[in-house]
Amino acid sequence: VEGYRADHGHTFWVVERQSDGALLGFCGLKRSNQPGGPQGMMEVGWRLREDAWGQGYAKEAATAALDAQLEREVVTEATALAHRSVMLNAIGHHDAALADALQCRELAKDHELQECEVVAMVGEAVARWHLEHDPSVLQLIFDAASRGKELNIGTYLKSSARVSIDILWESGRYDEAREVMNKQFEGVSLALRREREARWEHVRLGVSLRTTAAISETDPLTNLPNRRFLHTWLPQVLEQCPPVCVALLDLDGFKAVN
C-alpha cells in the first residue's frame, strides 16, 4: 500500500470505527494494476473483516472516498461511480447502485467513456433485476458483455452472470442458463490455473535466484565459499562477533588444478 502511494500519490484508506477506533479494513480509490484487467482505470476497492459486513461501512467509506475528490476529473468520477455501483449491488444496496449506474452512464455518454459505461450497464442491470425483477435487463447484460469483450474488460462484468442465469432459468431457457454456468465454471477454472501458474513461476524464480546466488558465492570445483562470499559474510561477523581472527592460506600453483 505504501509503495503504491509512493508511485501514484494516493492509495486505499484504512477504515476505523468511530466509536472505538477498531480497525475494520480498507477502502478507497486506486488505479487498476491487476493482471488481465484494464490498466490505469480508476476503481473503488474495499476489504473489511467479516464481523463488519452488512453494517453499511463499505458504502459509507466508498462514498467518502468518492466525495473527497472535490476537484475530480470526469474520468475519475465516472469510473468511481461505475465501480461503486457494482460494489453497492454486491452488498445489497441496489437503490444506491442504480443511482450511481445511471449517473455514470450519463457522464459516459457525454464524454465517450466506453469502459465506464459498460461497467455501469452491468451495475444498472443487476440493480434493476433485484429491485424490479424485470427480465428485460438480460438484453442490457448481453450488450454489456459484447462491448466488454471488445474493450477487454470482461473481468469487471462477472457480477452479472448470476442474474443472467436466474433470468434464463425462470424463463425456461435452461440450455442457455447451463451454457452461462459452464462459461462461468470455465472462467473460474482458467483464473485458478493462471493463479497456480503464477505462484509456481514465483517459486521457480525464487529457487533460480537462490541457485544463482549460491553459484556466485561458491567455488565450482570444491563448493567452498569464495572471495565474493567472504566480502558479504565478513562484515557481518566483524560487526556481530568481535574479536575475529582471519587465517589466509595461499596455495601456489592451485589455479592449474582448479
Side-chain angles (χ1 to χ4, degrees), residues 170-183:
E170 290 187 12
S171 303
R173 299 160 65 178
Y174 304 123
D175 290 339
E176 293 177 74
R178 292 189 185 96
E179 183 180 352
V180 175
M181 285 189 285
N182 288 335
K183 287 183 178 179

Side-chain angles (χ1 to χ4, degrees), residues 50-78:
E50 189 170 355
D51 61 355
W53 295 357
Q55 301 181 49
Y57 294 129
K59 178 184 177 182
E60 181 182 353
T63 301
L66 181 59
D67 291 344
Q69 303 287 332
L70 298 178
E71 298 290 333
R72 55 186 177 267
E73 299 176 356
V74 172
V75 176
T76 301
E77 180 178 5

Side-chain angles (χ1 to χ4, degrees), residues 59-136:
K59 178 184 177 182
E60 181 182 353
T63 301
L66 181 59
D67 291 344
Q69 303 287 332
L70 298 178
E71 298 290 333
R72 55 186 177 267
E73 299 176 356
V74 172
V75 176
T76 301
E77 180 178 5
T79 307
L81 282 168
H83 288 278
R84 187 169 68 176
S85 173
V86 174
M87 181 204 73
L88 290 171
N89 275 321
I91 60 179
H93 295 282
H94 303 299
D95 285 310
L98 181 59
D100 276 359
L102 294 176
Q103 184 181 350
C104 174
R105 293 195 66 184
E106 289 182 6
L107 286 173
K109 288 179 180 178
D110 291 341
H111 299 276
E112 299 182 354
L113 304 174
Q114 297 186 57
E115 294 90 347
C116 297
E117 184 175 10
V118 170
V119 176
M121 288 167 67
V122 170
E124 178 185 348
V126 174
R128 284 174 52 195
W129 172 249
H130 287 285
L131 293 171
E132 306 164 8
H133 217 64
D134 180 5
S136 68

